[in-house]
Structures are given as structure tokens and as C-alpha cells.
Amino acid sequence: MNKLCSIIVAASLAVGLISCLKDDEHFVDFAGVGYVAEIPYVANRSILKTVTVGATSTSLVAPVDINIASPTPPTQDVPVTVAIDQTALTAYNTANKTAYTILPAAAYQLSNPMVTVAAGQRIATVNVNFVGTQIPATGGPYAVPISITTVPSNVIISANYHTQILVVSLTK
């Protein structure tokens, strides 16, 4: 009798587990997703990134990586353009009750606002050059909001991870 119960329980368990294998309702096929342009620092850490600049510095480069997220690396070059985004900074300030203002234009420069993610690669880097001698010692707090603005038609700009705000910390 005990052996018969064990066989019935084992058979019921096997049938129950096999039926789960046919559940395709929750399966997501990522193969057809396509390409998404994003800033991986934002996706992995935070929208804010602090950049410490010396007050006597004439040049400090802060890299901002652009990633093409997809199941496979792109097969063609992907040009991506970024720009300073006051709207994103205003939205961040409103949502987080902060008061960041954009750094004066003389204190920074986007040295390469258009980058190309090479075919077979995923990352390209935009460089922001800060000039410490041009950063005001008073006012602020200062920030430089950078957003992905233009991509080819076969690429989507990430809704959540397309902006990074570089918060500028001036040291003596």
C-alpha cells in the first residue's frame, strides 16, 4: 500500500511539472527587441554623477558612455547625438525638490556631441571638458544635464536612461 501511494505521488508530481513546461504565456522573446540607446551609468547607478573640478584647473575631462543595448551588438555603425537638456534638469529639480542650475557655458564644453558606436561594439564615449578657472565660486549648485537627442530610425532612445546630470563640485 505504501509503495502504491509513493508511485501515485511521483506520477502526479511528474505530470504536474511537465505541464509547466508548456507555459509560453510569460515568455519574452528578446530577439526582436532591436536597438536601444542609453547611458549605462544611469541604468546601473544614478541619474546624478558628481564631477570634482579643481578651481585652478584648465581642463578636466568627464566621460559619458553611450550604450547600444540589444540582444546582439549592432551590425552597422550607430551615430548618436547628445545635447545639454535644460528641460531634463528642470524636471529633475521639480521631482526631487533640488535647485541645480546649468553651469555657465564658458565653464564646460561638449568636445564631441556626436559619437558613433562602431559596428560590432556597444559603447561610445562623449567627453565633457570642464574648465575650473571658469566655474563660479558662488551661486549654484551647478550641473550639466546631458541627454541623448538623435539616433537613427532603427534605434530607440531609452525612456528611463537617456539623461545624465553631471553635478559639479568645485575644490580649491
Side-chain angles (χ1 to χ4, degrees), residues 112-127:
N112 57 335
M114 184 179 156
V115 295
T116 299
V117 178
Q121 302 296 312
R122 294 191 181 277
I123 301 281
T125 302
V126 172
N127 291 314

Side-chain angles (χ1 to χ4, degrees), residues 27-82:
F27 175 73
V28 177
D29 182 12
F30 289 105
V33 170
Y35 302 122
V36 178
E38 66 180 5
I39 299 174
Y41 186 94
V42 177
N44 294 320
R45 292 178 185 94
S46 170
I47 190 170
L48 296 180
K49 180 179 182 182
T50 301
V51 178
T52 303
V53 182
T56 59
S57 170
T58 56
S59 179
L60 175 89
V61 176
V64 176
D65 288 336
I66 306 298
N67 180 54
I68 301 301
S70 62
T72 59
T75 56
Q76 296 179 331
D77 289 353
V78 179
V80 178
T81 304
V82 300

Side-chain angles (χ1 to χ4, degrees), residues 128-151:
V128 183
N129 188 31
F130 291 94
V131 181
T133 57
Q134 296 296 315
I135 298 173
T138 59
Y142 293 109
V144 178
I146 298 171
S147 292
I148 298 171
T149 57
T150 308
V151 294

